[in-house]
């Protein structure tokens, strides 16, 4: 059974579906804890800072993106915490999951077609290749 579960979330519907799947996984183990990780992307960080009044406001905006994810987990009375990382999403998630020794990583997929994925790459694809634990990609 999985006890230490990481959910990568970005506020999208895809990450909400991933969180709901993590809740299902955690339901099999009363001791399970879910960690929700949000990566403040360096590519968007300057724009985010310019459009927010302060770092506190910026943190609140980021947490607001995660509110549906937190509500889905809290509704099932599962222990959880939120971590906000800074960096490029794929590598930041991989570094965190490998350093912290999670049992499983649950991540949503944007559903890129083959050409889009080849040109743009996908966070889920990069994570699957480099994570040291099982990875569940939720469509």
């Amino acid at each position: 059974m999985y006890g230490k579960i990481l959910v990568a979330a970005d506020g999208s519907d895809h990450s909400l579906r991933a969180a709901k799947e993590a809740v299902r996984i955690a339901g099999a183990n009363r001791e399970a804890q879910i960690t929700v990780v949000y990566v403040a992307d360096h590519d968007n960080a300057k724009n985010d800072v310019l459009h927010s009044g302060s770092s506190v406001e910026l943190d609140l905006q980021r947490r607001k993106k995660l509110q549906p994810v937190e509500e889905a987990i809290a509704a099932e009375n599962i222990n959880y915490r939120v971590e906000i990382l800074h960096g490029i999403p794929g590598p930041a998630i991989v570094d965190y999951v490998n350093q912290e020794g999670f049992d499983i990583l649950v991540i949503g997929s944007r559903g890129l077609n083959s050409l889009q994925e080849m040109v743009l790459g996908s966070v889920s694809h990069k994570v699957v290749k480099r994570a040291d634990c099982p990875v569940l990609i939720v469509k």
Side-chain angles (χ1 to χ4, degrees), residues 113-125:
N113 66 38
S114 298
L115 178 61
Q116 290 170 322
E117 190 169 320
M118 184 176 67
V119 173
L120 301 173
S122 78
V123 173
S124 58
H125 185 78

Side-chain angles (χ1 to χ4, degrees), residues 25-99:
I25 293 167
N29 179 359
R30 289 193 164 272
E31 302 297 316
Q33 177 169 339
I34 295 174
T35 300
V36 178
V37 66
Y38 174 88
V39 180
D41 190 346
H42 277 297
D43 291 341
N44 300 327
K46 290 179 185 176
N47 189 37
D48 291 345
V49 169
L50 289 173
H51 288 93
S52 67
S54 66
S55 62
V56 172
E57 185 180 325
L58 183 57
D59 286 340
L60 287 173
Q61 289 172 0
R62 290 173 176 158
R63 287 300 292 254
K64 189 173 182 176
K65 288 181 182 180
L66 299 178
Q67 187 174 359
V69 169
E70 290 188 64
E71 288 172 354
I73 297 168
E76 299 298 325
N77 295 318
I78 295 171
N79 293 324
Y80 76 95
R81 64 190 179 103
V82 175
E83 291 289 330
I84 296 178
L85 308 177
H86 300 273
I88 300 168
I93 293 167
V94 169
D95 289 346
Y96 187 74
V97 74
N98 290 345
Q99 287 174 8

